[in-house]
Amino acid sequence: MRVGILTGGGDCPGLNAVIRAVAKSLIKSAGAEVIGIEQGFLGLIERRVRPLDLRSVAGIMATGGTILGTHNKANPFGYFGAGGADVSERVLAYVRELGLDALVVIGGDGSMAIAHQLAEKGIPVVGCPKTIDNDLAHTDRSFGFDTAVAIVTEALDRLQTTGQSHGRVMILETMGRWAGWIALHAGLAGSADIILIPELPYRLDEVARVCREREARQRYTLICVAEGAKPEGGGVTVKERIEDSPEPVRLGGVGNVLRAQLEPMLGCEVRTTILGHVQRGGPPTPFDRVLATQYGHAAAQLVAAREFNRVVVLKGDRIESVPLADVAGRSRNVPADHPLLRTASDTGISFGR
Ligand code: F6P
């Protein structure tokens, strides 16, 4: 068998661990030949591939980023390099020319949507869920999330001591797009006093009330706010629009907005830290290395069994797979009845409501 592998969309810790597991499993257990496609779908459009042998995937488990490179705009069904034209037939011909029996796509909802379209055109695809945001449908965990949570948690630990020393309100803004998974998990782990997530629009006066109450008691307050958080009746804070991106809206800046609003309402100083891409870089945690390896192995098994057009997912502690069509272009928010919300509330964390 000849199998192509690509990493699409934004990068995330654990991508190399998946590439390694897919390549090793396919080469060792199925005697397959593995072809690395560079810069996501761009490599298929611009004909940039290279062979991946056991040597080329050695020693990459702990390395952040992706050895193949990625691209968050390249889409064969609307290629920016051809004025947005559909170049999928060209891609199809190239896949045939390469003699690929299957394509492993490691990506988020956008990449899965493209993979699904390619599958409908006849390319046998297996998907693997990637994103620090943990917002992919039908999977309890995407790899990269645990690492992002660890980074945010460490930042909160550090902000707590400096906030405590100065008697300040410290705001930490996390990534996460339209979902609050990172802020919820890290906020809990990092002892945030207030967690603000998109799924639970907050009331500014309630956030200020909690800060004032803590000012009188503890002198400092730690707020963990997801970039997609918004006030009741209000909208999200948009950082920029990247028009040629499949998802043009980039969120960011709600932490600064909150600071400007809160400071005049409180008797203390307020400071904001926006962590940004620090959450996506560097080595994956041991949990993400294990999960990424399990996903890569499971994807290789699907390929070897010729079970195509499926995505590997985590359900509880079991790796399973679901149809690509069920995942493509879908996302997953924190449900209102998620047990962590109750745990957080019952242990004194405010959601600003
Ligand atoms: O989806 C991952 C993510 O890091 C989001 O949390 C964030 O909103 C977005 O990507 C940032 O995108 P970019 O890397 O294009 O700035």
Side-chain angles (χ1 to χ4, degrees):
M1 278 186 118
R2 278 196 119 193
V3 183
I5 177 166
L6 67 81
T7 52
D11 74 341
C12 118
L15 283 169
N16 286 327
V18 181
I19 296 170
R20 174 182 174 274
V22 171
K24 282 195 156 194
S25 308
L26 282 172
I27 296 169
K28 282 175 177 278
S29 313
E33 200 182 331
V34 181
I35 306 292
I37 295 153
E38 294 174 0
Q39 286 194 279
F41 293 104
L42 194 63
L44 283 182
I45 300 169
E46 296 188 347
R47 304 170 74 91
R48 269 186 279 116
V49 302
R50 62 174 194 257
L52 283 186
D53 57 12
L54 291 176
R55 262 186 80 168
S56 47
V57 298
I60 62 169
M61 171 75 102
T63 313
T66 158
I67 58 163
L68 293 174
T70 186
H71 205 284
N72 61 3
K73 292 178 194 163
N75 180 355
F77 298 91
Y79 175 39
F80 60 85
D86 182 339
V87 295
S88 57
E89 283 303 320
R90 205 165 99 189
V91 163
L92 217 63
Y94 185 47
V95 167
R96 283 198 203 106
E97 191 186 312
L98 288 170
L100 296 185
D101 298 296
L103 182 65
V104 176
V105 174
I106 310 169
D109 53 0
S111 300
M112 291 306 153
I114 296 172
H116 180 51
Q117 282 177 283
L118 289 177
E120 284 185 326
K121 280 191 158 266
I123 298 181
V125 174
V126 169
C128 188
K130 163 245 63 162
T131 170
I132 63 164
D133 304 333
N134 202 36
D135 62 349
L136 273 181
H138 297 293
T139 189
D140 291 343
R141 279 290 158 95
S142 50
F143 68 88
F145 173 67
D146 187 67
T147 307
V149 167
I151 293 164
V152 178
T153 302
E154 195 203 329
L156 284 168
D157 291 345
R158 292 176 186 279
L159 290 175
Q160 180 184 330
T161 58
T162 171
Q164 219 160 4
S165 308
H166 287 265
R168 285 171 168 165
V169 170
M170 303 300 284
I171 300 172
L172 179 70
E173 181 182 310
T174 74
M175 280 187 165
R177 289 200 306 182
W178 311 95
W181 294 106
I182 298 177
L184 176 60
H185 280 248
L188 201 116
S191 321
D193 306 298
I194 302 173
I195 298 176
L196 305 177
I197 59 174
E199 294 84 351
L200 302 173
Y202 62 85
R203 285 201 348 255
L204 184 66
D205 56 352
E206 178 57 17
V207 175
R209 188 196 66 75
V210 175
C211 293
R212 264 189 235 110
E213 193 187 280
R214 287 189 53 85
E215 226 172 293
R217 238 174 346 117
Q218 322 284 109
R219 291 192 59 242
Y220 78 96
T221 303
L222 207 49
I223 303 179
C224 184
V225 56
E227 63 182 2
K230 52 183 184 288
E232 258 178 31
V236 291
T237 309
V238 174
K239 183 171 68 182
E240 60 183 327
R241 285 187 66 88
I242 302 177
E243 292 306 342
D244 55 353
S245 169
E247 204 197 329
V249 173
R250 291 294 182 282
L251 299 174
V254 63
N256 286 330
V257 171
L258 257 183
R259 176 188 175 184
Q261 291 171 330
L262 276 178
E263 211 156 31
M265 300 169 84
L266 304 173
C268 71
E269 290 179 318
V270 183
R271 294 287 185 269
T272 291
T273 301
I274 299 179
L275 272 185
H277 292 80
V278 168
Q279 292 159 94
R280 269 183 22 200
T285 57
F287 179 91
D288 274 338
R289 294 179 201 193
V290 172
L291 182 61
T293 303
Q294 286 180 291
Y295 276 148
H297 174 235
Q301 282 183 310
L302 285 178
V303 169
R306 296 187 177 274
E307 282 183 47
F308 296 124
N309 307 335
R310 300 191 71 80
V311 179
V312 293
V313 294
L314 184 74
K315 298 263 185 213
D317 61 359
R318 293 185 63 82
I319 303 283
E320 297 175 7
S321 72
V322 295
L324 187 52
D326 292 358
V327 175
R330 301 231 175 110
S331 59
R332 184 180 72 109
N333 281 93
V334 178
D337 62 350
H338 194 279
L340 267 193
L341 295 176
R342 179 77 195 270
T343 303
S345 301
D346 287 358
T347 53
I349 294 173
S350 163
F351 288 100
R353 293 150 69 84

